[in-house]
Amino acid sequence: MKWRWLFILFILVFLSGCENPQLHLHNVFKSIDLEVRSHSQAYPLLLEICDRYGPRMAGTESAAYAEELTALLFRSYGFDNVFFQPFTFNQWLREDVRLKIDTAGTYVDFPALALAYTPSSDIQAPIIDAGNGLINDYNGLDVNGKIVLIHLGLLPGTPSHVRNTHRAQKLSLAIAQGAVGCIAVNPIPGELPSTGSATLDGEMIRIPAVSISFEQGEKLRASLIRGKCTARLHTRNSCKQAHARNVVARMEGYGLPQETIVVGAHLDSWDIAPGALDNASGAVSVLEMARTFKALNLKTRRSVEFVLFMAEEQGHYGSELYVREARKRNLLEGIRYMFNHDMTVNTYGFNLMGHYESEDFFRQSGALIGRTDSAFTNTIEHVTYMGSDHAPFLMEGISTFTPLCRYQAFHTYHTSADGPQHITPEMINSNIRTSAMMVYALANSPTLPATRMSREQLRTYFIDNQLQEELVISGDWTWN
């Protein structure tokens, strides 16, 4: 009789534990942790994508092969609802660039990369240092008919309250001030110029813009302090209509299927490197999270869409299409969160954009994640920026978030060195483990704190986060 009562007590305790949401989450988190540590396919997949397809500039043959591969992978994981979202966009093609600068009576070659959507040109003009290239840097500066030198980051000594902006906004300011060309300095040391889009509308800009390395930028600034410098800049580039596709795998929710958590990353890269960090790391993170959910047969109250966007680098074309399609089908209201993975390695927390009410939920769920993964410090930040695929969602008032990541001192962002040799399996898997746990928590919570912001709330939010000027310059400010 004694053993019978002990058995009944054990069953009651077990059933009580199963009804405890926190205990359930913790057990699922441990399962996710074990699955990723034991069976992750992310790093071998990153190597395959980088080595087999190389650069995956949207609209190219290699990008199309990568689209097909990822759709096949989603289906192999067990997703029944996998589909493409095709679109057409204005593709920029890099051809030739030569930069010669006279700093001491002789023209010397400066290694340079054209920024995307730079036109063909042949110019010669004096160089003038415009600092960070922000609007206040032009006070008292006459750059009309000159080539401006700008820093793509923020120079040492810049006041802490000054906010940096996207390179395309800096180019728009230079054009508005009358500059005839732009030399942009990579803010990251490493003897490498960087590329990136110089436009916000997918059209050729009016002046040539090229990048030089941090080290060359330092030398040029020192020469400008000593005296006048003149540049000869030759560029040859073109544009054409091209086709690309988003790849979407949908997992239907069992309780609130009309509500969706979007988990996305861009699959494309620039044309100068395989894009291991930017953004094979994010793409394989999304793929591996999808595989893990299916491998563990995880069920979610809300629907989850795992999305690989195309043409992020050339202007967020894929994510903008996704949002347009959701609006057309009256599905925007159901998107509760968009979780964006762009250069996601060594994750230690989350950056939240949108309603601040989300913070308590993320801290509580993050505390459970930290109990499973000691490297996760449960750091929460609120830094809003518009330079990736979360931006079209945020513009619709949808709360978005990204992993907080630790990067190596040698940062390969948008350079020819962005290969897999700088990434390790654990750098990728740390993001997959913690991100998959947070997706599961969001998709299964009985209620979620964040609702879609109204237009007036969104206007106030952008003003509070010092984004009004940036959005005005880009043409995305739609309020009076």
Side-chain angles (χ1 to χ4, degrees):
M1 182 65 71
K2 177 182 177 183
W3 292 110
R4 180 182 177 188
W5 282 109
L6 285 173
F7 178 76
I8 292 172
L9 180 61
F10 171 80
I11 294 297
L12 289 172
V13 170
F14 176 78
L15 291 175
S16 173
C18 289
E19 294 171 0
N20 182 331
Q22 293 295 94
L23 180 58
H24 170 74
L25 267 186
H26 185 53
N27 287 334
V28 172
F29 287 2
K30 287 194 293 184
S31 298
I32 290 172
D33 183 74
L34 181 61
E35 173 64 26
V36 175
R37 290 183 188 276
S38 303
H39 304 296
S40 175
Q41 299 172 11
Y43 189 70
L45 181 55
L46 180 141
L47 293 177
E48 179 182 0
I49 289 173
C50 291
D51 295 342
R52 184 176 178 183
Y53 301 118
R56 301 170 306 285
M57 193 168 179
T60 63
E61 186 177 49
S62 62
Y65 286 141
E67 293 163 2
E68 291 289 346
L69 171 69
T70 53
L72 287 171
L73 285 170
F74 278 131
R75 293 187 182 103
S76 74
Y77 300 155
F79 285 86
D80 298 320
N81 191 359
V82 179
F83 56 95
F84 292 111
Q85 290 182 319
F87 59 93
T88 303
F89 71 104
N90 192 33
Q91 181 193 46
W92 179 81
L93 298 171
R94 186 189 312 276
E95 295 175 19
D96 186 33
V97 60
R98 292 194 298 273
L99 173 64
K100 293 177 178 288
I101 300 177
D102 177 2
T103 60
T106 304
Y107 280 95
V108 177
D109 286 317
F110 272 58
L113 278 175
L115 297 183
Y117 295 97
T118 282
S120 295
S121 67
D122 283 289
I123 63 170
Q124 178 173 319
I127 303 171
I128 189 163
D129 190 349
N132 294 316
L134 301 174
I135 192 163
N136 289 336
D137 292 306
Y138 290 99
N139 290 341
L141 208 60
D142 178 15
V143 303
N144 191 52
K146 300 179 178 68
I147 295 173
V148 293
L149 177 70
I150 65 171
H151 198 69
L152 287 176
L154 293 175
L155 288 163
T158 301
S160 59
H161 68 273
V162 173
R163 181 189 178 99
N164 197 28
T165 191
H166 191 273
R167 74 185 76 80
Q169 273 91 24
K170 294 188 177 187
L171 262 295
S172 294
L173 284 170
I175 292 167
Q177 296 294 321
V180 296
C182 177
I183 300 171
V185 179
N186 184 356
I188 302 166
E191 298 286 355
L192 292 169
S194 61
T195 192
S197 182
T199 186
L200 295 160
D201 60 8
E203 298 297 330
M204 286 284 201
I205 59 175
R206 297 207 306 269
I207 66 174
V210 299
S211 167
I212 61 175
S213 72
F214 174 85
E215 291 76 11
Q216 293 283 14
E218 291 288 287
K219 293 176 184 176
L220 182 52
R221 281 207 160 86
S223 296
L224 285 167
I225 292 172
R226 292 193 298 268
K228 294 180 180 179
C229 298
T230 302
R232 291 175 181 166
L233 179 56
H234 163 90
T235 57
R236 287 292 178 270
N237 308 292
S238 60
C239 282
K240 69 171 186 176
Q241 289 294 290
H243 305 281
R245 297 170 294 178
N246 295 334
V247 187
V248 186
R250 182 173 176 85
M251 188 168 74
E252 201 74 13
Y254 65 81
L256 296 167
Q258 74 281 6
E259 295 188 10
T260 303
I261 309 298
V262 177
V263 185
H266 71 88
L267 181 58
D268 62 307
S269 72
W270 280 113
D271 55 328
I272 58 173
L277 177 63
D278 188 14
N279 186 40
S281 66
V284 300
S285 290
V286 170
L287 286 160
E288 180 62 18
M289 279 188 274
R291 187 202 66 80
T292 298
F293 270 60
K294 286 297 186 180
L296 295 175
N297 196 28
L298 297 178
K299 307 299 181 185
T300 55
R301 189 187 306 268
R302 292 174 183 80
S303 299
V304 180
E305 286 200 349
F306 298 96
V307 188
L308 295 176
F309 300 110
M310 264 295 175
E312 185 270 350
E313 296 293 10
Q314 298 200 47
H316 308 164
Y317 285 104
S319 50
E320 288 178 357
L321 170 80
Y322 181 97
V323 168
R324 284 198 307 273
E325 289 293 313
R327 187 190 303 112
K328 188 187 304 182
R329 296 164 58 200
N330 296 317
L331 298 176
L332 276 182
E333 205 63 44
I335 300 176
R336 301 304 305 275
Y337 283 92
M338 191 278 171
F339 188 12
N340 190 41
H341 291 257
D342 198 344
M343 304 194 302
T344 44
V345 294
N346 298 325
T347 296
Y348 64 93
F350 297 106
N351 180 47
L352 312 184
M353 292 174 267
H355 274 300
Y356 296 118
E357 290 87 341
S358 298
E359 181 164 341
D360 287 345
F361 179 91
F362 275 80
R363 285 203 181 278
Q364 290 167 11
S365 301
L368 276 179
I369 293 173
R371 285 172 56 188
T372 308
D373 191 332
S374 60
F376 183 79
T377 62
N378 200 21
T379 303
I380 301 293
E381 292 186 5
H382 296 277
V383 179
T384 301
Y385 60 96
M386 306 300 287
S388 190
D389 281 317
H390 65 278
F393 294 84
L394 191 57
M395 288 297 296
E396 294 290 340
I398 296 167
S399 289
T400 68
F401 67 107
T402 63
L404 287 173
C405 301
R406 295 185 184 91
Y407 297 114
Q408 295 173 302
F410 178 62
H411 201 329
T412 60
Y413 171 70
H414 283 192
T415 72
S416 58
D418 190 4
Q421 67 272 23
H422 302 293
I423 294 179
T424 66
E426 178 54 23
M427 288 169 67
I428 299 288
N429 290 334
S430 71
N431 175 61
I432 295 163
R433 292 193 302 269
T434 56
S435 294
M437 293 174 198
M438 186 57 75
V439 170
Y440 185 83
L442 286 167
N444 282 283
S445 176
T447 59
L448 288 176
T451 55
R452 189 177 171 192
M453 286 186 280
S454 68
R455 274 188 54 79
E456 191 53 37
Q457 288 174 323
L458 191 57
R459 177 183 182 276
T460 301
Y461 177 81
F462 285 141
I463 291 172
D464 289 347
N465 284 274
Q466 303 175 48
L467 284 165
Q468 182 177 11
E469 180 183 302
E470 179 177 329
L471 292 171
V472 167
I473 294 171
S474 69
D476 292 316
W477 185 260
T478 58
W479 297 267
N480 293 328

